[in-house]
Amino acid sequence: MGCTYSVYGLGRKKKLSIPEVVVFVPSMRIPAQCDLQRALKGLIPRDLIDRLTCLRNRIALVAEDTGGSAITELRQALEEYLAILIGLTKKENGVEDSVEFKWKNLEDDRQETSVANAWFELLSVIHMMAMLTLSEADSLMIPKDYSGSGFRVVSTDCKRDAVDLLLKAAGYLEFCVRNVLSRIPAEIKKSWSKDLQEGVLEAISIQALGQGTEIQLGLAVESQKATLSVKRRLACEQLIYFSQAYQCLSGCDLNQGYGKKHMWFIKWKFLESKAAAYYYHGLVLDKGNEPSSHVSAVCCFLAAQELLVESKKACITFCLAAPVTRAPPLWGVMKHLNQKIPEVASRKSQMYGYLLEQEKALQSLPELPDFQLSLRPDDYELPAIDSAWDSEKWENQSQPLKEHLKDCEEEIETE
């Protein structure tokens, strides 16, 4: 499925593969080792501590062993962990700041964040669920086999499932921005991973909607029932999404992690969607009877051609930005437009060349129509809190807080 390069070292052959990217997934963050037992001893029941520790360790081990590819198993463990974790965020339980939670970058252990706040842990869990969902959408858009014709085939069902996953991921991230970030003190936000900046989370959420629209536009191009107006609308909506995502990222610190690569991905998709929008807008204008309509249409086609060239340059820059990735073979609407835009731009400018000479005053790029956006993030709600947090079940703790503090003092003296 992908190109591989062989590197020889110390007499041994090592194969390195460069991953292909259809749906962009920023670096995944996973739990790092932290001592829940010691931090929560005597504050909550032992069985709750054991379950939290077991699930957190399981998530970390599975993620590291599989590189995050065991999506179903990880999602199940994260949802189970989340139901218990919610209890730590409740003020009445008095343990919101008792644990120093640690997370690290899956690809780079050196990028570790440590924060003593249960809401930070909850944010990190939902963020990981979003990244896993984006990763699953990406895998659906990269088929494991090829058709007999030598071209890759992604089924319509896979594309629709990928759109559903993108909306789900957008919902996770929108929930983080609207319902979690505000609960975390500003001084804590200054010290944590750049991947959790509000603008970055918003950009990924909006970008997921843009990619969902891109897939829908590809399906419309393949459908004989989709009208030109529908295609233009989808192209313009896709452009709006990526414009919004770019605005969100532009105010963020992108000097760490995947920041610069993320920005180049959005620039690439922005240029592609703008090329598509002008192409389809040009086709609509060209149906007019007035000479000015044909002149405006040609201006749109020529603009689309220039944007297409720029988008290819942005794609190369994105692929080469660390960590190096590969762009997929042309698919969806861009597979169609890479052939159509140069062809139509050349033919129409020759056809209406005399009008371009006569109506030089009209040679200005028309504005694209504005449409109300169709896709919205899925609504996400936290799961019900685990029944083990029922106050009646753990009101009489086996080890009172005083004993816990005494034990901690003894441990310090021993050390």
Side-chain angles (χ1 to χ4, degrees):
M1 181 179 67
C3 299
T4 57
Y5 298 87
S6 296
V7 178
Y8 292 86
L10 301 176
R12 212 166 38 165
K13 182 179 178 182
K14 186 178 180 181
K15 187 180 288 186
L16 300 175
S17 71
I18 300 176
E20 184 179 308
V21 173
V22 174
V23 174
F24 180 69
V25 184
S27 57
M28 191 175 297
R29 298 167 58 257
I30 65 171
Q33 188 65 39
C34 65
D35 195 347
L36 294 178
Q37 297 283 353
R38 181 171 181 175
L40 294 172
K41 184 180 179 182
L43 300 179
I44 64 174
R46 181 63 180 270
D47 65 317
L48 270 175
I49 301 174
D50 289 342
R51 287 176 64 195
L52 281 167
T53 302
C54 180
L55 284 167
R56 198 174 194 278
N57 290 342
R58 178 180 159 200
I59 292 164
L61 287 171
V62 172
E64 286 192 298
D65 287 347
T66 65
S69 62
I71 295 172
T72 302
E73 185 177 354
L74 284 169
R75 182 183 289 124
Q76 182 181 352
L78 285 164
E79 289 173 352
E80 192 175 343
Y81 178 62
L82 196 56
I84 306 174
L85 175 65
I86 293 169
L88 297 183
T89 67
K90 302 296 182 183
K91 287 187 177 180
E92 58 266 29
N93 293 330
V95 290
E96 188 176 337
D97 304 319
S98 299
V99 182
E100 190 167 344
F101 292 104
K102 297 179 181 179
W103 284 72
K104 63 184 180 181
N105 188 301
L106 181 60
E107 289 82 20
D108 186 356
D109 289 348
R110 295 170 298 179
Q111 294 185 30
E112 186 173 287
T113 305
S114 180
V115 176
N117 185 282
W119 283 105
F120 162 78
E121 178 76 351
L122 187 140
L123 172 70
S124 297
V125 169
I126 300 176
H127 179 269
M128 185 176 178
M129 290 166 65
M131 296 306 105
L132 287 170
T133 306
L134 289 175
S135 181
E136 186 175 3
D138 184 53
S139 67
L140 286 177
M141 295 301 295
I142 302 177
K144 303 296 184 291
D145 57 340
Y146 292 74
S147 67
S149 63
F151 295 101
R152 292 193 337 187
V153 176
V154 179
S155 71
T156 299
D157 287 342
C158 279
K159 291 175 183 176
R160 288 174 177 161
D161 289 344
V163 173
D164 290 340
L165 288 167
L166 288 164
L167 299 184
K168 187 176 183 180
Y172 286 140
L173 295 164
E174 184 181 60
F175 180 87
C176 289
V177 171
R178 293 187 176 181
N179 302 95
V180 184
L181 283 179
S182 60
R183 299 175 184 270
I184 301 171
E187 60 270 18
I188 290 179
K189 296 176 189 176
K190 292 177 184 177
S191 64
W192 69 21
S193 170
K194 303 300 181 185
D195 296 334
L196 297 179
Q197 294 174 88
E198 182 174 345
V200 173
L201 298 180
E202 286 180 329
I204 302 170
S205 177
I206 296 169
Q207 155 196 323
L209 301 179
Q211 291 209 260
T213 307
E214 178 184 14
I215 295 171
Q216 288 184 330
L217 178 55
L219 290 169
V221 169
E222 295 169 4
S223 171
Q224 294 182 349
K225 296 180 180 179
T227 64
L228 181 57
S229 296
V230 167
K231 295 171 189 174
R232 180 180 66 168
R233 180 189 180 100
L234 287 170
C236 289
E237 286 185 28
Q238 184 188 344
L239 175 60
I240 294 169
Y241 284 124
F242 282 109
S243 299
Q244 291 178 353
Y246 180 83
Q247 289 170 5
C248 290
L249 264 195
S250 59
C252 297
D253 180 355
L254 304 176
N255 291 322
Q256 293 182 10
Y258 277 41
K260 292 180 180 178
K261 190 174 186 72
H262 189 186
M263 180 62 90
W264 274 110
F265 179 81
I266 289 180
K267 285 182 179 178
W268 167 31
K269 289 299 173 181
F270 168 81
L271 290 167
E272 280 191 345
S273 57
K274 197 168 187 179
Y278 272 119
Y279 172 74
Y280 285 115
H281 188 45
L283 291 181
V284 171
L285 292 175
D286 198 39
K287 290 184 175 294
N289 296 321
E290 297 296 323
S292 59
S293 298
H294 299 307
V295 171
S296 294
V298 172
C299 289
C300 286
F301 297 139
L302 293 174
Q305 189 172 28
E306 289 180 14
L307 289 161
L308 189 63
V309 171
E310 291 303 311
S311 74
K312 291 176 182 178
K313 294 177 183 177
C315 174
I316 293 171
T317 306
F318 161 74
C319 290
L320 294 178
V324 176
T325 52
R326 290 185 297 117
L330 290 172
W331 64 278
V333 66
M334 293 316 296
K335 182 178 180 180
H336 173 72
L337 295 188
N338 264 268
Q339 177 185 348
K340 281 293 183 181
I341 288 177
E343 177 186 304
V344 172
S346 174
R347 178 161 47 85
K348 293 293 183 179
S349 29
Q350 288 179 19
M351 184 182 299
Y352 298 119
Y354 70 98
L355 284 177
L356 291 172
E357 287 297 321
Q358 293 174 10
E359 308 288 346
K360 286 186 179 181
L362 299 176
Q363 289 186 37
S364 60
L365 194 60
E367 288 189 10
L368 291 169
D370 193 18
F371 293 103
Q372 186 175 354
L373 298 173
S374 303
L375 293 185
R376 293 284 184 272
D378 283 352
D379 290 330
Y380 174 72
E381 293 182 359
L382 289 173
I385 189 171
D386 193 282
S387 59
W389 284 101
D390 187 340
S391 59
E392 294 179 4
K393 293 183 179 180
W394 63 284
E395 203 169 41
N396 300 318
Q397 297 183 30
S398 59
Q399 184 182 28
L401 177 58
K402 288 183 179 179
E403 291 184 23
H404 165 69
L405 295 174
K406 183 179 178 182
D407 287 349
C408 288
E409 289 173 0
E410 289 175 357
E411 286 179 14
I412 293 171
E413 289 176 4
T414 304
E415 291 174 358

